[in-house]
Amino acid sequence: MAVRLGHTIKAVLFQVHSVAGLVLALLLSLIALTGAIMSFEDEIVDHLNAGIMQVAPRQAPPLMPDELVARLIAAQDLGKVAAVTLSSDPSAAVHVRFGRDEQGGWPASLYVDPYDAHVLGSPRGEAFFATVRRLHRWLLIPGDRKGWGRPITGTIALGLIVMLVTGLVLRWPRRAGSVKMWLKPNLALGGRALQRSLHTVIGTWVLPVYLAMTLTGLYFSFEWYKDGVTWLLVRPHVTAAKMPAKSPRAANSEPVRPIGFDQAWTTFQREEGDRFSKALLTLPAQGTTLRIRSWGKASLLETTRDEFRIDTVTGQLVSAERFADKTFGEKVIAAIYDIHRGEILGWPGKLVFMIVAITMPLFLVTGILLYLSRRRLRRPAQPPLGRLVPGE
């Protein structure tokens, strides 16, 4: 009875694995390949634009952000500036980003000379990687993160978890001596046997990486998942970590003056001194509180950053979150994106994650071939014509 029950359970799991694979394999391959393309995006973009990201340092101090933006807009018909990236390196250009245009698109960003606001050029590769990113995250479905693409990719990720778990259960070795066979593909085989060996053995190799990618990717797909991870890792700090949507000044009846970067930038420089390497200043969509993300000179990861919120009118420091002061759980949450792409392990980790992502189409091809071969084997054979007699 127990043996029969075990066979029944495995048969059900096999059907679940097969159906999920046939339905999701093409989209999973698309998401995986676009993720692989973005693995070394920063390095590629920096290499392509090395000529416009540096300037000759001068004795004169660089322009304050508001004056730089004013000169830039006066010289060209540009959209509304949304963010600027400033550096402590006197030879680094300022990176200026713009808000959405009237058509809802994102204008190309610009690199600007920090000393005279001279435009150095738009970064090559930016539009390409922006499209790849939208395809990876939202399948190019309108609305971006607010549209249907976000829950759809999240559902696909849940489907991949089902495939990984069912595949692992179906493959679990019955005897300890079979572990070597479990992890070593038999390349001497041919046809359906080789397809099955590649599908199962390589799938076992890459399973931990796929699981890491999927569990961290879900953090960006579903609010309920994000809230659950946050509650699990930083329970006492959940309420304190949430920032107010508006600064205190935005709630009163005083007229709001035009906001800019200078007051916040001055406060930030006073707080940080020369400890930062670069800082991203983002104007608020509403209210007067500007967000500044800064990276230290020894920072190697995107997530090892400090974050400040400063009132743009008064220059008052609203909040400061320093990476060094975070709890272990908060650091894990901050590093989710770096875990997702393997960067938490440095460039070797990114390379491994990229290679693993590239293997996803292998499971699409071998899975379809195995499905078609099973259908052929199940098809009843036609009786030979020579054995038929009249009337049959």
Side-chain angles (χ1 to χ4, degrees), residues 210-345:
Y210 281 154
L211 200 58
M213 289 177 175
T214 309
L215 293 176
T216 51
L218 285 171
Y219 184 85
F220 305 102
S221 296
F222 296 116
E223 288 299 324
W224 58 264
Y225 186 90
K226 181 177 181 179
D227 292 341
V229 172
T230 303
W231 176 85
L232 183 65
L233 294 176
V234 290
R235 297 179 200 180
H237 310 281
V238 172
T239 304
K242 292 185 177 180
M243 293 293 177
K246 296 181 179 180
S247 67
R249 294 183 58 86
N252 60 37
S253 58
E254 296 180 11
V256 177
R257 290 181 284 173
I259 60 177
F261 296 99
D262 282 2
Q263 287 277 23
W265 179 238
T266 301
T267 301
F268 171 78
Q269 287 183 307
R270 184 173 65 247
E271 289 287 328
E272 286 292 272
D274 61 352
R275 293 191 298 270
F276 74 100
S277 62
K278 67 175 181 177
L280 171 62
L281 287 67
T282 304
L283 289 175
Q286 58 181 355
T288 61
T289 302
L290 180 144
R291 183 187 68 191
I292 299 181
R293 288 177 173 174
S294 70
W295 290 263
K297 293 182 177 179
S299 176
L300 300 177
L301 296 175
E302 170 68 20
T303 53
T304 55
R305 62 174 182 252
D306 300 329
E307 186 163 318
F308 303 85
R309 292 179 187 259
I310 303 172
D311 191 282
T312 57
V313 177
T314 65
Q316 178 184 358
L317 180 64
V318 177
S319 65
E321 294 182 11
R322 299 183 183 276
F323 184 81
D325 297 334
K326 291 181 182 290
T327 64
F328 174 77
E330 289 171 333
K331 288 181 178 180
V332 172
I333 289 179
I336 280 182
Y337 180 64
D338 286 331
I339 298 171
H340 180 70
R341 62 200 301 233
E343 191 171 9
I344 195 73
L345 302 174

Side-chain angles (χ1 to χ4, degrees), residues 8-204:
T8 302
I9 293 175
K10 282 206 167 187
V12 172
L13 293 178
F14 182 77
Q15 290 299 323
V16 171
H17 184 87
S18 299
V19 172
L22 290 172
V23 173
L24 302 176
L26 185 59
L27 290 174
L28 282 170
S29 296
L30 177 64
I31 293 172
L33 290 176
T34 50
I37 292 172
M38 293 190 297
S39 294
F40 288 91
E41 174 185 354
D42 295 339
E43 291 81 357
I44 293 172
V45 171
D46 288 350
H47 176 74
L48 291 175
N49 299 285
I52 62 173
M53 295 175 65
Q54 300 291 321
V55 298
R58 300 164 210 175
Q59 294 296 326
L63 299 173
M64 289 293 286
D66 285 345
E67 183 178 356
L68 183 142
V69 169
R71 290 192 188 186
L72 179 65
I73 294 176
Q76 299 190 48
D77 183 17
L78 300 170
K80 180 182 177 181
V81 173
V84 296
T85 301
L86 303 171
S87 175
S88 61
D89 181 357
S91 64
V94 176
H95 193 191
V96 180
R97 296 179 175 89
F98 302 91
R100 289 183 182 271
D101 55 27
E102 295 179 355
Q103 290 74 36
W106 294 99
S109 65
L110 295 174
Y111 278 102
V112 180
D113 191 312
Y115 298 98
D116 58 12
H118 172 70
V119 174
L120 302 173
S122 295
R124 290 185 293 175
E126 181 181 64
F128 169 76
F129 281 110
T131 302
V132 172
R133 190 175 302 107
R134 291 180 60 237
L135 182 58
H136 178 77
R137 294 178 177 176
W138 310 304
L139 302 176
L140 295 181
I141 295 175
D144 292 348
R145 69 185 307 271
K146 296 181 180 180
W148 284 101
R150 188 182 178 200
I152 289 175
T153 54
T155 303
I156 293 170
L158 290 174
L160 178 57
I161 291 179
V162 171
M163 293 167 60
L164 294 173
V165 172
T166 54
L168 181 63
V169 173
L170 292 169
R171 282 225 72 210
W172 197 260
R174 299 178 183 176
R175 301 182 305 274
S178 62
V179 171
K180 182 178 180 181
M181 184 182 301
W182 199 55
L183 297 175
K184 182 179 179 181
N186 191 345
L187 302 179
L189 299 173
R192 186 173 185 274
L194 177 61
Q195 296 160 13
R196 176 179 173 80
S197 179
L198 293 175
H199 188 90
T200 57
V201 175
I202 297 179
T204 304

